[in-house]
Amino acid sequence: PKMKEDHCLHAALLCLGLLCYSQALTKERLNHTRPSLHGHHEKGKEGQVLHRSKRGWVWNQFFVIEEYTGPDPVLVGRLHSDIDSGDGNIKYILSGEGAGIIFVIDDKSGNIHATKTLDREERAQYTLTAQAVDRNTNRPLEPPSEFIVKVQDINDNPPEFLHENYHANVPERSNVGTSVIQVTASDADDPTYGNSAKLVYSILEGQPYFSVEAQTGIIRTALPNMDREAKEEYHVVIQAKDMGGHMGGLSGTTKVTITLTDVNDNPPKFPQSVYQMSVSEAAVPGEEVGRVKAKDPDIGENGLVAYSIIDGDGMDMFEITTDYETQEGVVKLKKTLDYETKKSYSLKVEAANVHIDPKFISNGPFKDTVTVKIAVEDADEPPVFLKPSYIFEVQENAASGTVVGKVHAKDPDAANSAIRYSIDRHTDLERYFVINAEDGNIKTIKALDREEMAWHNISVFAVEVHKQHQEAKVPIAIKVVDVNDNAPKFAAAYEAFVCENARSNQQFITISADDKDDSANGPRFIFSLPPEIIHNPNFTLRDNRDNTASVLVRREGFSRQKQDLYLLPIVISDGGVPPLSSTNTLTIRVCGCDSGGSLLSCNAEAYVLNAGLSTGALIAILACIVILLVIVVLFVTLKRQKKEPLIVFEEEDVRENIITYDDEGGGEEDTEAFDIATLQNPDGINGFIPRKDIKPEYQYLPRPGLRPAPNSVDVDDFINTRIQEADNDPTAPPYDSIQIYGYEGRGSVAGSLSSLESATTDSDLDYDYLQNWGPRFKKLADLYGSKDTFDDDS
């Protein structure tokens, strides 16, 4: 507050002094620049009067101090003409910028006053025009003249910075005087007048770390070796003061936030000298064992650390990688461990910076080492076979219980538990083998046949006795060794042909053999004839010694008529130990051949044909027969097609072929069994009715006409008689067919039974005879037998 009062007092005194100086200067200028409008009357050398015309006044600049706040309007200046005698006849007129609004003139005295407070920063000068006229006639007494009113500057504007806050960066460990940033302030006051706009920069906050140049505003470092890791950010306040920094000047401030950027001036460092880790022996390669981390206070690429194993007995078993997100070294398993072989390992791990700054290489090696001790933990491991796989051999046809081989597994754990063995039955579905659970001996259960299966692939389990979940599995291949148990046979079903005109010692077929046994017990094959036919007069055998044999003709003159088929037994022996042999029969047919030896026919019946009938003639005969058969088939087909157009090609409505019967017949059988027209008109029967399904062997005599039944006849007997006649009549319709008669007969002693007819007549009818017709008409007799009954009912 005291400083502010001093500043205000200094400003008031300065304004008052400037105001007095301005008024005195204006008055002095008016007095010195007020010429006469009538000119001067000068005398020449010879007494001649010379008239020289000059302006009534000459204007210099007027000055008015800005921001004047006095009670009265400030006097800017005074206009006065030499022709003004003071009688009030001259009128002063002011025009131009601000005339009448800011500047007013007393038209009698010519005094100009400023009615408003002026601000040089808004407008620095005004251009006005003054004129003296006759008050009565407004006639210009002098020509108009321009003058300028300048606003005198005072220090009323403090300095202002371009930004309220500045942000700057500078590397840590920078030398003293390193430029950080330049701040700039501006002052609205007149820089050409006085020191109102002369600025001086100073630092208010931020010492002793930074300094600022007074004239330029450049901020520089002031302390050496500033450490970002100790303090990263600084807040600096810079002041700009006008009046050259002297007392009474105005000032403005700005804040500058300066951040130290990182350099690699710190090596990585492990927080401890030894790391303890553990890993199970059951861990698989690639599994993480543990992590180490070297701390580096630097950031960004300056803090990047790479890890490596440089020494230790575990270099082959472990590896280390770098996790660049967490800057940790990850120790991983490289190979499978065995607790029983080695229980601990030691590693020497190094952490080094990736990027090194040569400026700070003297700060020491930018790396650090640490010891990592890894303990191997025992795991419950499954049994381990001594071999990854086994191959055994056993002879085929070996007796049941023959030992094939032995497998062995052990528990790798320190407990060394007992092992039990078993065969995976999915690999031995036929159950050829069995294993001893105690010692692992594998035996056969039944005989093996190499020709059926030469190899058996089974799997054997080994399980710890006290820990059934711990098991191991090993594949076993069992080879069935061949035994010569299969005799050789013909390689194919041979059928040989020999010509009737074959020459002696002529070869007509070559045979070979096949043996299911292995090559050691198969070829070489030996072919021979049985001893009893070794001197066969017809054929002989020659062993070619290449597992084939040739059959030759021993004599000439074979005849199909005498014998067309020969059976030749051949003995084949293999090369096994002991050898096996078999007798195979070769079928030889005698055939007719031409002179060139080409086969013609092998059938004995061929001789009954004409000798001159050749093969071409036989083919021609067969072709003629086939052509005849084709013509017959075509003829029959054409005849059938001629009948079909009766229905297919005639455009008739199908409904015209529908026949409607009004009688209640037995169905379709009625129209097929008999003539329906005859049944509808029994009176037209003048003879017998021929049957349509069979032809009678004799002509049946015409049946005599129906005899009227006497009154005492039994209707039941009458019907039975007619049925018997129909059954014995060969001309009657087929049996088991239903016969429908639409005719009631030619008459009856009973007359009509219609109740309609009885109602139209007055005659009384007697129906008592119905009692004699039998039980089938009992119901009818009860209805019509007694008239009195009807009368009583009515």
Side-chain angles (χ1 to χ4, degrees):
K2 183 177 181 181
M3 183 179 291
K4 288 183 179 180
E5 291 178 359
D6 293 341
H7 288 173
C8 293
L9 180 59
H10 291 161
L13 293 175
L14 179 61
C15 291
L16 182 57
L18 289 175
L19 180 59
C20 295
Y21 172 75
S22 176
Q23 288 179 348
L25 183 60
T26 302
K27 184 176 181 180
E28 181 180 359
R29 286 175 178 173
L30 285 175
N31 293 331
H32 287 287
T33 60
R34 191 180 302 124
S36 173
L37 294 177
H38 300 286
H40 292 277
H41 302 278
E42 297 181 1
K43 293 181 180 182
K45 295 180 179 180
E46 297 178 356
Q48 181 183 358
V49 178
L50 299 178
H51 298 278
R52 185 179 62 179
S53 177
K54 66 175 182 179
R55 293 179 61 102
W57 55 63
V58 178
W59 301 104
N60 287 333
Q61 291 182 347
F62 289 164
F63 294 89
V64 60
I65 192 168
E66 66 171 335
E67 304 293 345
Y68 175 74
T69 57
D72 298 325
V74 62
L75 177 63
V76 177
R78 180 181 180 187
L79 299 180
H80 187 73
S81 177
D82 291 341
I83 62 175
D84 186 6
S85 59
D87 55 1
N89 291 328
I90 294 178
K91 180 180 180 182
Y92 297 99
I93 299 175
L94 185 65
S95 62
E97 297 173 346
I101 301 173
I102 300 176
F103 302 102
V104 295
I105 189 171
D106 186 349
D107 59 355
K108 292 181 178 180
S109 62
N111 291 333
I112 302 173
H113 292 83
T115 60
K116 293 184 178 180
T117 302
L118 302 180
D119 188 357
R120 190 201 66 83
E121 285 70 38
E122 290 183 4
R123 187 160 189 161
Q125 64 183 19
Y126 298 86
T127 302
L128 300 172
T129 301
Q131 190 176 16
V133 299
D134 188 277
R135 186 179 295 276
N136 296 323
T137 62
N138 287 330
R139 180 176 60 85
L141 301 179
E142 291 188 10
S145 180
E146 288 187 354
F147 64 94
I148 295 175
V149 177
K150 280 193 174 183
V151 181
Q152 185 104 17
D153 181 52
I154 64 171
N155 190 17
D156 60 342
N157 290 281
E160 293 183 358
F161 285 92
L162 299 180
H163 303 285
E164 184 178 354
N165 292 287
Y166 288 85
H167 294 275
N169 298 322
V170 64
E172 64 173 332
R173 307 287 182 181
S174 295
N175 296 327
V176 175
T178 301
S179 175
V180 179
I181 191 176
Q182 181 178 16
V183 295
T184 303
S186 61
D187 196 320
D189 292 327
D190 189 0
T192 61
Y193 180 75
N195 294 327
S196 298
K198 185 178 181 181
L199 303 181
V200 174
Y201 298 94
S202 61
I203 183 169
L204 300 183
E205 294 182 14
Q207 301 97 338
Y209 306 103
F210 300 95
S211 62
V212 63
E213 291 184 357
Q215 306 301 326
T216 62
I218 296 176
I219 301 175
R220 299 181 182 276
T221 58
L223 284 181
N225 297 325
M226 284 193 292
D227 191 3
R228 184 201 65 85
E229 288 72 33
K231 186 176 182 180
E232 182 177 6
E233 191 174 83
Y234 295 85
H235 297 282
V236 178
V237 177
I238 301 297
Q239 181 190 64
K241 189 174 183 181
D242 59 13
M243 298 301 292
H246 294 92
M247 186 176 295
L250 303 179
S251 64
T253 59
T254 186
K255 293 182 179 179
V256 182
T257 302
I258 301 176
T259 303
L260 298 182
T261 57
D262 185 62
V263 297
N264 190 12
D265 57 339
N266 294 280
K269 186 71 175 176
F270 283 104
Q272 58 195 67
S273 59
V274 178
Y275 282 87
Q276 297 286 347
M277 299 180 184
S278 62
V279 60
S280 172
E281 64 173 335
V284 297
E287 186 172 333
E288 180 178 329
V289 178
R291 296 190 173 210
V292 297
K293 185 175 183 180
K295 294 183 178 180
D296 190 332
D298 296 324
I299 59 175
E301 67 175 13
N302 297 319
L304 293 180
V305 178
Y307 298 87
S308 60
I309 299 175
I310 59 175
D311 196 7
D313 57 0
M315 292 184 65
D316 295 334
M317 305 300 295
F318 301 91
E319 62 182 354
I320 190 168
T321 59
T322 303
D323 186 347
Y324 286 103
E325 292 185 1
T326 61
Q327 289 298 301
E328 293 176 322
V330 183
V331 180
K332 294 182 179 181
L333 183 63
K334 191 176 180 181
K335 295 181 181 179
T336 304
L337 302 172
D338 186 9
Y339 172 80
E340 288 71 27
T341 303
K342 188 173 178 61
K343 297 179 174 57
S344 64
Y345 294 89
S346 178
L347 302 174
K348 188 175 183 181
V349 176
E350 180 185 79
N353 277 138
V354 177
H355 303 282
I356 299 177
D357 193 340
K359 296 179 181 179
F360 305 99
I361 195 69
S362 60
N363 287 10
F366 283 81
K367 57 186 177 181
D368 193 16
T369 58
V370 70
T371 301
V372 178
K373 293 184 178 181
I374 303 174
V376 181
E377 297 178 349
D378 187 20
D380 190 8
E381 300 176 85
V384 177
F385 283 94
L386 297 185
K387 296 181 180 180
S389 62
Y390 293 85
I391 299 178
F392 298 134
E393 292 184 355
V394 61
Q395 285 191 347
E396 66 173 329
N397 303 326
S400 176
T402 301
V403 177
V404 176
K406 182 178 181 180
V407 297
H408 183 70
K410 66 176 183 179
D411 182 11
D413 298 323
N416 195 16
S417 301
I419 305 297
R420 293 293 179 268
Y421 304 94
S422 63
I423 295 177
D424 183 1
R425 286 305 169 189
H426 294 90
T427 61
D428 185 26
L429 297 176
E430 300 295 332
R431 292 184 176 271
Y432 287 106
F433 307 97
V434 67
I435 190 170
N436 189 306
E438 302 291 338
D439 57 13
N441 275 322
I442 301 174
K443 299 180 180 181
T444 61
I445 299 178
K446 50 187 177 182
L448 305 177
D449 187 359
R450 190 204 68 86
E451 288 70 40
E452 180 181 347
M453 186 178 295
W455 286 87
H456 293 266
N457 296 307
I458 65 174
S459 297
V460 172
F461 290 113
V463 182
E464 294 183 17
V465 174
H466 301 294
K467 299 175 183 178
Q468 298 294 328
H469 64 282
Q470 294 290 1
E471 66 177 13
K473 187 176 182 180
V474 66
I476 300 174
I478 301 174
K479 180 182 179 181
V480 181
V481 180
D482 184 49
V483 174
N484 191 18
D485 58 346
N486 290 277
K489 295 181 180 180
F490 276 158
Y494 294 109
E495 187 173 1
F497 302 92
V498 64
C499 294
E500 290 179 308
N501 56 358
R503 298 186 306 274
S504 178
N505 293 326
Q506 180 181 354
Q507 175 183 338
F508 60 90
I509 190 172
T510 301
I511 59 175
S512 63
D514 187 17
D515 195 332
K516 293 182 180 179
D517 291 323
D518 196 3
S519 59
N521 292 315
R524 114 163 169 79
F525 298 120
I526 301 174
F527 299 87
S528 64
L529 295 177
E532 60 271 15
I533 62 168
I534 188 97
H535 300 294
N536 188 327
N538 299 318
F539 306 99
T540 184
L541 184 70
R542 183 179 64 203
D543 193 339
N544 297 326
R545 298 183 179 274
D546 59 354
N547 296 325
T548 64
S550 300
V551 182
L552 296 83
V553 177
R554 174 169 284 187
R555 66 179 178 86
E556 296 180 354
F558 289 92
S559 175
R560 282 178 290 176
Q561 290 180 331
K562 292 181 180 181
Q563 186 175 351
D564 63 341
L565 185 67
Y566 293 90
L567 300 178
L568 180 64
I570 298 176
V571 178
I572 308 175
S573 300
D574 60 18
V577 180
L580 292 181
S581 62
S582 66
T583 301
N584 301 265
T585 301
L586 178 65
T587 302
I588 304 174
R589 292 186 181 276
V590 179
C591 301
C593 304
D594 57 11
S595 60
S598 299
L599 190 66
L600 295 177
S601 175
C602 296
N603 296 325
E605 304 81 57
Y607 278 106
V608 303
L609 297 177
N610 189 357
L613 193 61
S614 64
T615 304
L618 290 175
I619 295 174
I621 293 172
L622 291 176
C624 292
I625 294 173
V626 172
I627 292 172
L628 288 175
L629 289 175
V630 172
I631 293 173
V632 172
V633 172
L634 291 175
F635 180 78
V636 173
T637 304
L638 289 174
K639 283 193 66 178
R640 289 183 179 179
Q641 289 181 350
K642 288 181 180 180
K643 295 179 181 181
E644 291 177 356
L646 293 175
I647 297 176
V648 177
F649 298 100
E650 293 180 2
E651 295 182 357
E652 294 180 357
D653 193 347
V654 180
R655 292 174 293 182
E656 296 180 2
N657 297 325
I658 299 176
I659 302 174
T660 303
Y661 299 96
D662 295 334
D663 63 295
E664 299 179 356
E668 295 177 358
E669 293 83 355
D670 294 348
T671 60
E672 296 175 0
F674 50 84
D675 188 0
I676 195 65
T678 306
L679 296 178
Q680 292 176 347
N681 189 11
D683 291 336
I685 300 178
N686 296 324
F688 67 96
I689 303 173
R691 292 186 63 170
K692 296 183 179 181
D693 58 341
I694 62 173
K695 183 178 181 181
E697 298 179 358
Y698 60 92
Q699 200 74 8
Y700 188 79
L701 295 178
R703 189 173 54 186
L706 296 175
R707 300 187 301 273
N711 294 334
S712 60
V713 71
D714 190 350
V715 176
D716 192 8
D717 294 337
F718 173 79
I719 293 174
N720 291 331
T721 301
R722 293 293 182 266
I723 292 174
Q724 187 176 4
E725 291 177 0
D727 291 341
N728 297 325
D729 187 358
T731 63
Y735 303 124
D736 298 332
S737 63
I738 302 175
Q739 303 182 25
I740 304 299
Y741 299 90
Y743 181 67
E744 294 183 358
R746 285 185 289 272
S748 175
V749 295
S752 175
L753 299 179
S754 175
S755 60
L756 296 176
E757 183 180 355
S758 62
T760 58
T761 60
D762 296 331
S763 61
D764 296 330
L765 299 178
D766 186 8
Y767 299 100
D768 293 337
Y769 62 87
L770 295 174
Q771 301 290 339
N772 300 325
W773 282 20
R776 296 185 180 181
F777 297 92
K778 184 176 183 303
K779 185 66 174 177
L780 188 61
D782 293 341
L783 293 174
Y784 295 96
S786 176
K787 182 180 180 182
D788 296 339
T789 304
F790 291 105
D791 294 340
D792 295 340
D793 294 339
S794 60

